[in-house]
Amino acid sequence: MMHQQSMMVGDMLPVHPEIPHGEEMNNVGYENSGANAYDDLFPALPHSAPPVQRHIQQATSKLRVGSSLHTQVFHVPYEERKLDNANTFGEGESLRTCQAITKDTGAHIEISTSKDGSLTFLLTGKHSAVLDARRKILTHFQQQASKQISIPKEHHRWILGKQGQKLKDLEKVTATKISVPAIGDTSEVVTITGTKEGIEKAEHEIRVCSEEQSRKAFERITVPKIYHPFIQGPYGERVAALTAETGARVHIPPASTQSEEIVVAGEKNGVLAAKAQIEQIAEDMAKKCSTVRVEVPKSQHKYVIGARGTTIQEILKETGVSVEMPPPDSPTGTITLHGPHNKIGLALSKVCEKANSVKTATVDAPTWIHKYIIGKNGSNIKKITQDFSKVHVDITHSEDKVKIDGPPEEVERAQVELNDFVKNLIATLTYVELSVDPKFFKHIIGKSGANINRLKDETGVVINIIEAEGNNVIRIEGSHQGVADAERKLREMVMKLENERSKEVYVDHRYIKSLIGVRGDRIKEIREKFERVLITLPDQGQKRSPIKLRGPQEDIEKCEKHLNKMIKEIAESSYVQEVPIFKQFHKFIIGKGGANLRKIRDETQTQIDLPAEGDDSDVITVRGKRENVEEAVKKIQQIHNEKANVVTEEVTIPPKYYNSLIGAGGKLIHSIMEECGGVLIKFPAADSDSDKVVIKGPGEDVEKAKAQLLAHASERELTSHTATVRARAEHHKFLIGKSGANIRKIREHTGARIIFPTDKDEDKEAIFIIGREEQVEAARKQLEAAVAEISNVSESEMAVAPRHHRHFVARRGEVLRRIADDCGGVQISFPRQGVNSDRVVLKGPKDCIEAAKQRINEIIEDLEAKVTIECVIPQKHHRTVMGARGSKVKDITAECDVQIKFPERDTAEGADIPVRNGDDEHAANDVIRITGRPENCEAAKKALLEQVPITIEVEVPNDLHRLLAGQKRRELMQTYDVHILLPPNDEPSDIVKVTGTPTNVEKAKEALAEKIVEMEKEKEDRALRSYELKFKVDPEYHPLVIGKSGVVITKIRTDYGVQINLPKRGEPDDDVITIQGYEDKAHQAKDAIMAIVHQLDNQYREEVDIDPRVHRRLIGQRGKNIRKIMDEYKVDIRFPRQGDDSIVVITGDEDNVLDAKDHLLNVAEEYLQDVSDRYTRPAAPSLDFGEALASEPAAAAAAPASSGAAAGGGPPAAGFVVRGGPWEQRAPDTASTRDFPTMPGAPRAAAAAAAAAPQPAPAPAPAPALAAWGPRR
């Protein structure tokens, strides 16, 4: 039996990083016992992947509610792991598996890998979630036992049972996975996967089933359960020997089952011999066997059992006594021993020895420090138990103690360490709980947790807000000083919140922007004036949201009064009036240099806004206090009237024509105003009784506008005769007729416009006629005659056979409603259900009744002539025939006026294969039934059969398949609604299969033929475009051929339609440029490139020797400086790529090159002087690291005054000395030819660099090494 050693750890909560742990809580002191090595003091961290990040709950999350958490730690030994090719923690499938288990169960999982390859899991969550996660982890990460047994092939069907039900039941009972080879597989191996107990049960049942079906001998022997281990023998040796001796197969039920039957199968003689020996063994043991029971705590049973039951087998082998363990669910811990009298004592001793090999101890620890014992991510508990691999630590959140079990020596040591750790925590840490009203929690937390996080950082404590029914507390944990400070600050915050009040001030949303002010100046001033009041403004767009004030009562009242005063002032100064002034006169309003406008603004204290130059509007807007705005408007109009010949004239027009004169959206009146020079036309207000229309503008334009207005009004008067005809609302549809036929006829005949009331009109009976007088009169007479005729409603009857009634009244009378709509709304009444009558009553106008009777008779004739025919189409084609969402069938049904019913789909295996019982019989699932008139049914059947897909083969050359695949193939399939199947790539076939309806297939075939021609041409064109031309160009010219951001080479590629590939610098053929494309275009592109090269060859070239130390400053950030120089002097400047090369190349016109050279040398000389000054400057004082640094000659020479003790002649200062640190590393000597040898092929650069380098001033030897890095900044 397999047992997994596990470590139980209690509830785990976050630990603040600043709370000290372990030795960190003690005072720290240094003892100078000599120099210490840097690598010893600061060892390198081990190479490991970061642990799985835990989710840290933010203060903005939902307030935590106290809950009982459970934490469990357990190990998976390396030899029992399922390896997933993950060499380090957190990689491979392990991380994804843990994330999936966390998502499924809700338990938090942390995983780590030990040096020996074993896995350690730390699970945190609710108890049920932890158990569920542990089970899934063991399934994924620990090897599951698997066993293969050989069962004769002919017995497999008996194991499977009917439809595999017997195998499913067996898997369910034994909790295993059983794999039986398929029918076509000749293998006899059956594989069982699962726990050891489950495998034993499943194997036993399978073998019993197999032997029962075997024609060989088969015996069931009933032997008491207590003798089975003696027949089995230690490690199964006796039963194996028995099988080898007799050739019979002996199946002993596993210990976990209660069966006493031992099954023996095989050859008859062997079975009888095996049976006799089994019975003899049982008889002998019955004579000398005795039983002893001993009580052992259940927690120690696993040590008696041993790994996979090896201890029990070992005791059986050494003493001949079997050890019977109680079932796992047994409440008692009684272990039973069976065996010879003289061996029982020895076996009992061994059992007690194994059981007592483990000791259990407890350490008193309050539950609130459990999380600190565990540590962040389990760090503390791992540190304590890292040297005790066999020790189990169980921390339960509900108990004030920690349980430890394991080997006695390790348990005692672990207990001492844990006890010291707990005492240290209790002495260092404390906690306080504050009862706070929950309504203050959000203010204590602050926006995005700002307040609570700031308090945690300042005091270094852990603060948990626990909100539960009847228990709302804030718990503070940490050091004594930190808890005291945090408690004091929280109480002050709560007291302040309890004294605060809140108030809402409602303000018109239009004034909010003014209240805020430019860049928030006004609201900032208010907040500074009332510092103790929190002012919250509403969001933009919210019209009814108030301004919220929170703070002390007195301050809130003052702030409210101040706000109301400001709002009143803003409201008074927010009056707006618009003044229409002709655009050409705006310049007079503005005045010279804006003098007039500025004068009006200053005198009236108003804001005046004029439209922009490109704006079509001519309205000037004035804002401010009402009296000031009116004064400013008066001044503006005065200037306008003085400068312009503006006249005002009134025209009398009846108000009933106003709407038609204005037009839809004011289009008509605006067009008149624009045509007449932009005059202003103003109509009286809607609630005014005046009929005067005012026209204002230049005299000629006013006259022109007046004439147009009067002309339009006269035309409206001629065509505005109206008349009213009244008719009942239910008769309106008869007057209108089907699709408006009746009313359209009257309109065309008379030319009048007829308007029927809508649902919004109050008078539903009034029909209005509009037009010229004679038109209105003629339409009125015709409408009145029609109304009189319709009002004469008659009633009629007709006979309809009762068998057809259902068709008319089905689906809530849909057919009757359709007839009524088509026939002028006639009312049709069929007999009630259950009344045996053929009388149908029709009410309505005579013409409508006759039309309805005719339509009913047509429907009855169709029903009488309706037939049902069958259309046989294999079921596998039904989906194709139906189309997407039945679209094809719907079209056929509507077009042929039939009903089509497809059979239910048979989902059984092989249902798609047509089965025929006779020549004229078809499978029921292949028959489609069509109902309707005979001719319609035949047409529908033909249409259905045309939808049955066929497959044809089209020959397409194999070398074109690659071109056909992809977009071309998808376009053909979508265009012609077919499926095109290409042969596999490894099959040299020219046949392409096209599947679809016959019509579509033929169209697709023709399209394919056209595509083949196109692809052949494309293939030829591709061959022509694959011409490749190679030629050499010095790599020095490559950047110029490419151009800035690739502009030059991109233009060549675009102009000639070619591909140009330039080699990378340093490649073997880095001077070869390759051009691919049409042959003539490739040569033209080559000529274009060579033209650039020749042009560059003809330019003057100068090489300048400049110290490499100033190259970067000359180039500037991202080449800014050098680009400026190149643009200024119209030259190209190239710096060397090697850091020690000093040659800079300048190319261009000779004069420009020489000017650029002089400029570069001057700038370089300035930069070089700066570099020389900086490098020879005395080094700044550095930190004193004692003797370790004082002994270094370089440090002594470079900074003689860096040590005060040395300067004064005293002994060096004693301190904590570290040798070998990074600060002791010497700077490299760049002038050394040994450390920096000259690269081959660059003698000129090296010589130039040596010549250009400045000669250092005389100094002590170590000085240049230190100066190479420059002074410390």
Side-chain angles (χ1 to χ4, degrees), residues 824-897:
V826 65
Q827 297 179 4
I828 307 171
S829 301
F830 275 75
R832 291 192 304 274
Q833 189 174 2
V835 177
N836 189 15
S837 173
D838 62 353
R839 180 172 174 267
V840 177
V841 179
L842 296 88
K843 292 182 180 179
K846 290 182 180 180
D847 295 341
C848 298
I849 289 176
E850 294 302 322
K853 284 183 178 181
Q854 183 179 353
R855 180 61 185 140
I856 291 173
N857 288 327
E858 290 176 358
I859 294 174
I860 293 173
E861 184 181 351
D862 290 342
L863 293 174
E864 294 287 353
K866 187 176 290 185
V867 297
T868 299
I869 65 172
E870 295 181 350
C871 178
V872 179
I873 296 177
Q875 187 183 17
K876 64 181 180 180
H877 298 316
H878 284 188
R879 284 188 177 179
T880 306
V881 172
M882 288 183 192
R885 299 182 181 179
S887 58
K888 294 180 181 179
V889 172
K890 289 178 182 177
D891 293 342
I892 296 173
T893 301
E895 184 179 349
C896 301
D897 192 18

Side-chain angles (χ1 to χ4, degrees), residues 732-748 754 782-783 786 790 848:
H732 288 185
K733 55 187 174 183
F734 301 119
L735 293 172
I736 296 171
K738 185 179 180 180
S739 302
N742 297 343
I743 202 67
R744 193 183 308 113
K745 186 177 179 181
I746 298 175
R747 285 173 177 166
E748 292 174 354
I754 303 172
Q782 292 189 26
L783 266 181
I790 290 172
C848 298

Side-chain angles (χ1 to χ4, degrees), residues 13 71 83 249 352 366 541 549 585 644 663 681 697 743 751 906 996 1057 1066 1076 1114 1127 1141 1147 1149 1159 1235 1246:
L13 295 175
T71 302
L83 298 179
R249 296 186 295 274
C352 293
L549 308 178
F585 301 120
I681 301 176
I743 202 67
D906 189 353
Q1076 191 175 28
L1114 287 173
D1127 294 341
D1141 194 352
T1147 308
D1149 292 339
H1159 179 76
D1235 294 336

Side-chain angles (χ1 to χ4, degrees), residues 940-956:
K941 180 178 180 180
K942 181 180 178 182
L944 283 175
L945 291 174
E946 288 177 352
Q947 297 300 324
V948 177
I950 63 170
T951 300
I952 65 171
E953 294 182 349
V954 181
E955 188 171 347
V956 179

Side-chain angles (χ1 to χ4, degrees), residues 9 18 43 96 125 295 390 402 414 448 478 529 635 644 693-694 746 771 786 791 800 817 865 889 906 1066 1090 1161:
V9 183
E18 295 185 9
R96 288 189 290 273
E295 286 290 335
K390 297 182 180 179
V402 178
S448 301
K529 186 174 183 179
K635 290 179 179 290
V693 178
V694 179
I746 298 175
S791 299
V800 177
R817 283 199 301 273
V889 172
D906 189 353
M1090 294 309 297
L1161 290 174

